[in-house]
Amino acid sequence: MHNDPHFDFTASLEKALADPQLGENFKNAMTGLRGKRLAIFPDADELAKLRATGKAVKARALSKLPELLVRLEANCVKNGIRVHWAQTGEEANAMILDILRAHGATRLVKGKSMASEETGLNHYLEKHDVEALETDLGEFIIQLDGETPSHIIVPAVHKNKKQVAETFHRHLPGAPYTEDVQELNAMARKTLREKFRTAHAGLSGVNFAVAETGTLVLVENEGNGRMCTHVPPVHIALMGIDKVVENLSDLPPLLRLLTGSATGQLMTTYLNCITSPRREGEKDGPKEVHLVLLDNGRTRLFADPQLSAGLRCIRCGACMNNCPVYVRVGGHAYGSVYPGPIGSVLTPQFEGIDAKGDLAGASSLCGACEEVCPVLIPLAEHLRRIRAEGQGCPDTCHVRGCGSKRTLAETLAWKAWAFLESNPWLRERLLRLAGLLGDRIPAVGPLKAWTSARTTPKLAPKSLRQLVREEGIRHE
């Protein structure tokens, strides 16, 4: 998992907010994606039933996770797929390199894989003299510019066509500058086709893996996933262990939810179901298929009764598209593989609250993410839990790095509050004194920053308790 010890979330947010072009690009793109989702799910009652089904399917799979993973491995092996288990991202990278070296492979074409972003696979392979080329158009664009995805479904969403034109003109040999989308697509296609033809191996992610049949399921719109998994002689699939489902019959509701929530489609252009390498007599397909099952902190999430619900995520990105914070600052501001609400829940658990706990603060807790989550993950509840873990006592909380956000000033403030609540006589007199201040609250300490962009709060002359005592409660 990418972990920059020097990451400054506040500075990153300020940088994003100061970029008007970035804000405009995200506003346009997110508005479009939200509109498509609404159009594809016109019946609210039907959608509610579908989301409940999706939640039940994923919850059932998680409740049997160890059993299903063993069953998936057994059926994959039976089908001729070689299965590898990786505890960490480093182990997964090393396994993939070993497979490539066993075949003398130095050129790898990649379909979209967020798991490989977790492990930092591209940089790892580059250090070992293996070319890893992204072939999803968005991933291809940002790889040319040396960037990371800013959205898990549309990785180059932060760029407009003018910026893409500049990227192609700067990085693709002989590419003229043009803002014509068809011509830009043709340039990418011409470059990638030769790479597909000459690649020694292909790597892909996995959207769902079916334990019942040992089937790896990939959804995509560009055809690059199918080229990566079928043209090179070796296919390596990298998946988080949370992607397993029990039965083939579990797929239809999940696919409907995934494609509708992600891109507003009834079904993606390509649906790949890979069950084995090329069999005798078949004319295409890889001669070897490898499946790398990645843990990378998921077992730790699985052990938490509340936060394990985050493993239901099907990576549709709908929570990001509807988050007022993400839409304003974009994905790079989060400094993590998974941005937005789901990233603010998962990343602190993967990398530790001391490293990325601040992400959970980038939310108004408006609940828009929960309202669109296709598998009903209680994201606002999880964000509050991560915040609480950051302030909690290491002896009583569970997430790695818990208690690391607690400062001396906050500790003293909470102790003072507890003391006053246990001494009502003193509390009442202090409240009456505070009421005399009205709006003359001194802007010092944390209040100085708070009031720099907000109206200074005005203390009421009487506390709520005092008003209740005097007037009673009406319309109870």
Side-chain angles (χ1 to χ4, degrees):
M1 181 77 70
H2 172 72
N3 190 349
D4 179 4
H6 305 296
F7 175 67
D8 184 337
F9 190 36
T10 303
S12 185
L13 290 173
E14 289 174 351
K15 181 182 175 184
L17 289 169
D19 186 342
Q21 185 61 67
L22 181 74
E24 188 66 23
N25 292 349
F26 269 94
K27 179 183 173 185
N28 293 335
M30 298 299 103
T31 300
L33 287 171
R34 289 197 300 270
K36 289 178 181 176
R37 178 188 172 277
L38 285 173
I40 208 69
F41 294 123
D43 187 323
D45 292 336
E46 188 176 317
L47 176 59
K49 292 176 184 174
L50 189 60
R51 293 170 74 199
T53 302
K55 173 188 174 183
V57 167
K58 286 292 290 182
R60 171 164 46 82
L62 286 174
S63 72
K64 302 179 179 179
L65 186 59
E67 172 195 333
L68 294 186
L69 287 170
V70 171
R71 193 174 167 197
L72 172 68
E73 179 186 30
N75 283 323
C76 283
V77 171
K78 182 180 171 185
N79 296 336
I81 297 174
R82 305 183 190 188
V83 179
H84 313 260
W85 296 80
Q87 187 72 30
T88 65
E90 290 78 12
E91 283 186 16
N93 289 344
M95 287 173 181
I96 291 168
L97 181 62
D98 285 346
I99 296 168
L100 295 174
R101 282 181 169 166
H103 293 82
T106 56
R107 292 194 297 275
L108 175 77
V109 284
K110 287 182 65 199
K112 203 159 174 301
S113 164
M114 292 308 295
S116 73
E117 297 288 343
E118 276 186 45
T119 67
L121 180 64
N122 289 6
H123 292 302
Y124 179 85
L125 293 180
E126 187 181 350
K127 288 180 183 174
H128 292 83
D129 300 322
V130 176
E131 178 194 56
L133 181 76
E134 299 287 352
T135 63
D136 172 90
L137 181 57
E139 294 272 6
F140 177 65
I141 292 167
I142 60 173
Q143 188 179 34
L144 289 175
D145 274 339
E147 296 179 344
T148 55
S150 57
H151 190 287
I152 62 174
I153 297 297
V154 273
V157 69
H158 57 291
K159 292 181 181 293
N160 57 29
K161 64 180 180 181
K162 181 180 178 183
Q163 292 168 315
V164 174
E166 289 168 351
T167 296
F168 279 14
H169 181 57
R170 189 165 54 245
H171 294 289
L172 297 182
Y177 180 88
T178 176
E179 295 180 20
D180 184 286
V181 175
Q182 297 300 324
E183 290 184 30
L184 290 171
N185 283 337
M187 288 180 203
R189 195 177 298 119
K190 180 181 177 183
T191 303
L192 292 175
R193 278 183 176 170
E194 183 61 16
K195 296 292 183 180
F196 287 130
R197 191 183 69 79
T198 58
H200 300 138
L203 184 136
S204 73
V206 177
N207 291 102
F208 304 104
V210 183
E212 178 187 31
T213 56
T215 304
L216 311 180
V217 181
L218 288 74
V219 296
E220 49 145 343
N221 281 312
E222 299 174 13
N224 67 302
R226 185 161 295 183
M227 297 289 277
C228 288
T229 58
H230 283 67
V231 175
V234 179
H235 169 215
I236 305 168
L238 175 62
M239 68 167 258
I241 56 174
D242 50 321
K243 297 296 184 72
V244 67
V245 296
E246 185 169 12
N247 301 312
L248 209 56
S249 59
D250 292 333
L251 287 179
L254 293 177
L255 290 172
R256 177 79 175 89
L257 285 166
L258 174 59
T259 57
S261 302
T263 52
Q265 293 173 283
L266 276 173
M267 180 53 67
T268 48
T269 309
Y270 296 91
L271 172 62
N272 305 293
C273 296
I274 300 167
T275 307
S276 73
R278 184 194 305 186
R279 289 177 175 150
E280 190 172 348
E282 293 181 337
K283 295 183 178 178
D284 62 1
K287 294 177 181 175
E288 281 187 21
V289 176
H290 295 259
L291 172 63
V292 179
L293 293 166
L294 176 67
D295 184 326
N296 210 27
R298 288 166 173 80
T299 337
R300 195 165 55 242
L301 271 69
F302 176 68
D304 189 298
Q306 181 189 30
L307 296 176
S308 60
L311 293 175
R312 295 204 300 261
C313 178
I314 57 174
R315 305 290 193 268
C316 69
C319 62
M320 300 171 198
N321 306 343
N322 288 271
C323 173
V325 176
Y326 176 88
V327 170
R328 187 66 187 85
V329 301
H332 288 160
Y334 290 79
S336 60
V337 172
Y338 301 107
I342 189 65
S344 298
V345 167
L346 294 180
T347 307
Q349 297 180 75
F350 285 144
E351 299 187 27
I353 287 182
D354 47 343
K356 291 294 174 62
D358 289 345
L359 300 187
S363 170
S364 63
L365 299 178
C366 64
C369 49
E370 281 189 15
E371 290 182 10
V372 297
C373 177
V375 286
L376 300 173
I377 300 172
L379 285 162
E381 181 184 304
H382 285 197
L383 287 167
R384 286 194 296 272
R385 166 77 186 280
I386 296 296
R387 291 182 184 184
E389 292 269 340
Q391 304 294 329
C393 173
D395 295 333
T396 57
C397 50
H398 304 92
V399 180
R400 183 158 60 99
C402 63
S404 57
K405 298 299 177 184
R406 191 165 188 160
T407 64
L408 177 61
E410 288 170 334
T411 302
L412 293 175
W414 283 114
K415 285 188 175 179
W417 176 82
F419 178 77
L420 289 175
E421 287 301 312
S422 57
N423 293 274
W425 178 86
L426 179 59
R427 181 192 65 212
E428 288 301 312
R429 274 145 188 81
L430 286 177
L431 282 174
R432 289 184 183 181
L433 282 175
L436 297 175
L437 289 174
D439 58 359
R440 297 185 295 278
I441 300 175
V444 295
L447 274 178
K448 185 176 182 181
W450 175 263
T451 55
S452 65
R454 301 172 179 85
T455 304
T456 303
K458 181 179 180 180
L459 295 175
K462 295 182 179 180
S463 70
L464 178 62
R465 283 192 176 93
Q466 190 176 353
L467 290 172
V468 169
R469 278 198 301 271
E470 292 176 2
E471 302 180 16
I473 299 175
R474 294 186 295 272
H475 308 299
E476 188 177 4

